[in-house]
Amino acid sequence: MKNLAAEVVRYLWALTFLADDTFRDEDFVADEIERISFEMSDAYLPEEQQAVMAEARAWLAAATAEPDADGYTPRRLLTPEQREFLESLATGAFMNAGE
């Protein structure tokens, strides 16, 4: 289940932050994100919801990690919108957005 949860988070991340404006249809992206939100809320088992939330928490922890021995930290690369997105997934708020 962890692998499927990772794919859900990765897909949502790609839709939200990586799609090139030239090649994406804004309506498709918005509709797909809304569809997934409703599906996660209405059709996912509690265990599946928890798996997605756990994966999002892992992504958030990695993105906000303390600097390593060389001083690198991805925190500087994480935008406020990306942090809000991961927090929404991690807390389950994303799944309840359509309710």
Side-chain angles (χ1 to χ4, degrees):
M1 194 173 323
K2 182 181 181 332
N3 291 335
L4 289 175
E7 289 305 317
V8 168
V9 173
R10 188 173 295 116
Y11 180 64
L12 286 168
W13 184 271
L15 279 176
T16 306
F17 299 110
L18 301 179
D20 184 329
D21 289 333
T22 305
F23 297 106
R24 77 176 185 183
D25 177 344
E26 293 290 334
D27 292 332
F28 169 78
V29 171
D31 290 347
E32 188 70 355
I33 290 170
E34 183 177 18
R35 182 192 66 75
I36 293 169
S37 174
F38 281 120
E39 186 173 324
M40 290 170 79
S41 178
D42 296 339
Y44 279 32
L45 297 172
E47 296 83 13
E48 293 169 322
Q49 293 174 344
Q50 290 298 318
V52 170
M53 292 166 62
E55 184 66 20
R57 284 191 298 272
W59 276 50
L60 186 59
T64 59
E66 293 295 322
D68 64 15
D70 297 319
Y72 173 76
T73 178
R75 282 187 289 188
R76 287 186 239 153
L77 302 175
L78 188 68
T79 68
E81 294 83 11
Q82 291 169 332
R83 184 183 187 112
E84 182 180 343
F85 168 78
L86 289 175
E87 288 172 346
S88 175
L89 277 175
T91 63
F94 177 85
M95 293 175 227
N96 299 317
E99 295 182 342

